[in-house]
């Protein structure tokens, strides 16, 4: 099954593009699920209720997801809550907290990817900066869980009563480790969907300088998470030839930025309807645009390690960062990890096995690639006779 994640700067029309893409795919005979977490259910208003044959529209209810998860967590920890005299919250009094929307959308994405009878899942993601953070969540949280509640400590559960008497405080209950294991399993399933070769990302933007800046930073964040962008949808473009000087100037600006994007990525152009799309008829008009329906995504490439030991005595780790500037970058080696900062984005990356026996000896940015040089540590590197 193919999963298409659609995002872009706020106000660029990503919800409309997601709906038009899903409709175009359904018109080609594909079984399509259109998924969104937007409040107010704008997708149903665009696609119609019921939607076109072959197209299903689903909205994620983040409030219900949050209530169910918190009630379940309280039930699992009822013994500990009773020990400290806490009163559990009733489902009716629980209001979702910030971040609940992202978690609910990720869970819905995992369920959709495993659902039978679907050829294509189109996901109307949050705005670009939030999408970058959302897609990075599964890997980040799994790392936190592994550090704070390592699985190997579960083996010592038989010693907890003795340790509790020695320490004078209760030791973490088994339910805490069981909950952490369940969360890790769910996060791993979501991470597998996000990082799968069958998942691709498209960016929607109205061509212009502000959109270009937002796309550059967004692409850097996605590249840092090894999530490549497959195409850009240039939305709301106006006719190039116009007698109106204002429209002619806008068209020239849009054409300039569209050409810049096309030099790096495939671009699909959607014309401005002269009004905001309001229903199925407007959506049908947009869905008729060629190039909206994605083909099979290309396999993702891992960050390559180039062996230049014979020539230069180093190994080079090649990190693609399209559009990066030197002023955006910072990197710190810490034990077997590398802390990479690109603009407002940061990621801690475990080093490949060969690079753990090396020291960082330099880095250079050229043609959208960060090339990090590693020199073998004589004390750790295997000796040859």
């Amino acid at each position: 099954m193919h999963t298409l994640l659609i995002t872009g700067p706020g106000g660029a029309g990503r919800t409309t593009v997601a709906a038009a893409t899903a409709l175009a795919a359904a018109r080609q005979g594909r079984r399509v699920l259109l998924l969104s977490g937007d409040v107010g259910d704008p997708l149903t208003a665009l696609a119609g209720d019921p939607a076109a044959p072959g197209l299903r529209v689903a909205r994620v209810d983040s409030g219900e997801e949050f209530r169910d998860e918190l009630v379940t967590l309280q039930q699992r920890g009822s013994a500990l809550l009773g020990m400290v005299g806490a009163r559990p919250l009733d489902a009716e009094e629980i209001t979702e907290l910030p971040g609940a929307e992202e978690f609910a959308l990720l869970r819905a994405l995992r369920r959709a990817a495993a659902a039978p009878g679907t050829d294509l899942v189109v996901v109307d993601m949050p705005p670009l900066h939030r999408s970058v953070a959302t897609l990075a969540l599964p890997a980040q949280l799994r790392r936190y869980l592994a550090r704070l509640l390592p699985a190997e400590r579960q083996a010592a559960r038989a010693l907890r009563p003795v340790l509790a008497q020695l320490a004078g405080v209760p030791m973490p209950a088994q339910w805490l480790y069981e909950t952490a294991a369940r969360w890790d399993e769910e996060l791993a399933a979501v991470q597998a969907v996000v990082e799968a070769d069958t998942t691709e990302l498209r960016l929607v933007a109205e061509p212009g300088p502000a959109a270009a800046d937002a796309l550059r930073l967004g692409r850097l964040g996605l590249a840092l998470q090894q999530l490549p962008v497959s195409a850009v949808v240039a939305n709301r473009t106006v006719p190039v030839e116009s007698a109106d000087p204002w429209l002619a100037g806008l068209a020239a600006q849009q054409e300039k930025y569209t050409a810049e994007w096309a030099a790096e990525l495939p671009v699909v152009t959607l014309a401005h309807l002269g009004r905001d799309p309001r229903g199925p008829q407007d959506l049908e008009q947009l869905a008729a645009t060629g190039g909206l329906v994605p083909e099979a995504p290309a396999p993702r490439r891992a960050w390559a390690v180039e062996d230049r030991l014979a020539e230069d005595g180093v190994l080079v780790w090649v990190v693609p960062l399209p559009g990066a500037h030197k002023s955006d970058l910072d990197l710190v080696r810490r034990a077997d990890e590398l802390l990479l900062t690109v603009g407002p984005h940061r990621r801690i990356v475990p080093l490949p096995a060969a690079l753990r026996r090396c020291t960082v000896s330099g880095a250079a940015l050229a043609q959208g690639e960060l090339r990090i040089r590693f020199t073998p540590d004589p004390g750790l590197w295997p000796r040859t006779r």
Side-chain angles (χ1 to χ4, degrees), residues 110-152:
R110 175 180 60 82
R111 292 193 297 265
T118 304
D119 303 315
L120 173 66
V121 177
V122 180
V123 186
D124 175 25
M125 296 290 293
L128 181 54
H129 65 285
R130 284 178 53 200
S131 286
V132 173
T134 299
L135 295 173
L137 263 180
Q140 288 177 340
L141 291 179
R142 293 188 70 201
R143 182 177 180 276
Y144 296 161
L145 285 173
R147 287 286 298 271
L148 298 175
L149 294 170
E152 56 269 19

Side-chain angles (χ1 to χ4, degrees), residues 168-226:
V169 295
M171 300 302 290
Q174 180 63 20
W175 73 269
L176 182 60
Y177 288 94
E178 292 174 351
T179 300
R182 179 172 61 88
W183 283 348
D184 183 72
E185 183 179 353
E186 291 185 2
L187 290 167
V190 176
Q191 185 180 353
V193 174
V194 172
E195 297 177 355
D197 285 343
T198 52
T199 299
E200 67 173 298
L201 275 152
R202 280 192 177 184
L203 302 181
V204 179
E206 187 172 338
D213 292 340
L215 289 195
R216 188 186 78 85
L217 289 178
R219 287 186 66 197
L220 283 177
L222 294 169
L224 195 60
Q225 301 299 327
Q226 294 176 270

Side-chain angles (χ1 to χ4, degrees), residues 48-376:
D49 189 14
L55 173 60
R56 294 178 291 125
V57 179
R59 180 181 171 274
V60 182
D61 189 337
S62 57
E64 182 179 355
E65 289 260 357
F66 181 79
R67 284 189 293 272
D68 291 345
E69 186 68 21
L70 187 53
V71 168
T72 301
L73 183 62
Q74 288 183 146
Q75 292 171 347
R76 290 177 178 270
S78 57
L80 181 60
L81 292 175
M83 286 174 56
V84 298
R87 289 191 307 156
L89 297 166
D90 295 329
E92 294 78 11
E93 60 180 316
I94 295 175
T95 302
E96 64 180 298
L97 297 176
E101 294 180 14
E102 286 79 2
F103 282 105
L105 183 60
L106 289 172
R107 291 194 194 98
L109 176 60
R110 175 180 60 82
R111 292 193 297 265
T118 304
D119 303 315
L120 173 66
V121 177
V122 180
V123 186
D124 175 25
M125 296 290 293
L128 181 54
H129 65 285
R130 284 178 53 200
S131 286
V132 173
T134 299
L135 295 173
L137 263 180
Q140 288 177 340
L141 291 179
R142 293 188 70 201
R143 182 177 180 276
Y144 296 161
L145 285 173
R147 287 286 298 271
L148 298 175
L149 294 170
E152 56 269 19
R153 290 191 183 176
Q154 296 186 47
R157 60 180 179 271
L159 298 176
R160 286 197 191 107
V162 178
L163 295 175
Q165 291 179 0
L166 293 175
V169 295
M171 300 302 290
Q174 180 63 20
W175 73 269
L176 182 60
Y177 288 94
E178 292 174 351
T179 300
R182 179 172 61 88
W183 283 348
D184 183 72
E185 183 179 353
E186 291 185 2
L187 290 167
V190 176
Q191 185 180 353
V193 174
V194 172
E195 297 177 355
D197 285 343
T198 52
T199 299
E200 67 173 298
L201 275 152
R202 280 192 177 184
L203 302 181
V204 179
E206 187 172 338
D213 292 340
L215 289 195
R216 188 186 78 85
L217 289 178
R219 287 186 66 197
L220 283 177
L222 294 169
L224 195 60
Q225 301 299 327
Q226 294 176 270
L227 302 174
V229 175
S230 63
V232 175
V233 179
N235 195 25
R236 301 174 184 152
T237 58
V238 298
V240 176
E241 297 180 0
S242 174
D244 186 313
W246 183 85
L247 281 178
L250 177 60
Q253 174 179 275
Q254 290 185 336
E255 190 175 28
K256 171 191 171 184
Y257 285 97
T258 300
E260 290 180 1
W261 297 340
E264 299 183 27
L265 290 166
V267 174
V268 180
T269 302
L270 281 180
H272 202 302
L273 297 179
R275 60 187 180 281
D276 290 336
R278 300 296 296 175
Q281 290 184 344
D282 288 343
L283 200 63
E284 289 277 2
Q285 186 175 343
L286 293 172
T289 304
L292 273 180
V293 181
E295 303 297 332
R300 298 186 184 184
R301 295 185 301 170
W303 293 352
V305 177
E306 294 182 359
D307 186 347
R308 300 193 58 83
L309 291 174
E311 300 90 342
D312 305 317
V314 297
L315 298 173
V316 180
W317 202 13
V318 183
V319 180
L321 295 174
H325 302 155
K326 289 183 180 180
S327 58
D328 294 325
L329 297 174
D330 188 26
L331 62 91
V332 177
R333 167 76 180 271
R334 190 181 66 178
D336 290 340
E337 296 177 325
L338 198 67
L339 174 58
L340 277 172
T341 302
V342 186
H345 310 288
R346 174 181 291 186
R347 184 187 179 194
I348 297 176
V349 190
L351 292 173
L355 302 184
R356 295 174 188 174
R357 303 191 300 271
C358 303
T359 57
V360 177
S361 54
L365 178 68
Q367 298 179 340
E369 289 182 342
L370 176 62
R371 302 176 64 84
I372 310 170
R373 296 186 299 276
F374 290 81
T375 302

Side-chain angles (χ1 to χ4, degrees), residues 20-30 32 47 51-55 280 284 287-288 293:
T21 302
L23 179 60
R27 291 284 184 255
Q28 292 184 3
R30 300 193 192 185
V32 183
L55 173 60
E284 289 277 2
V293 181

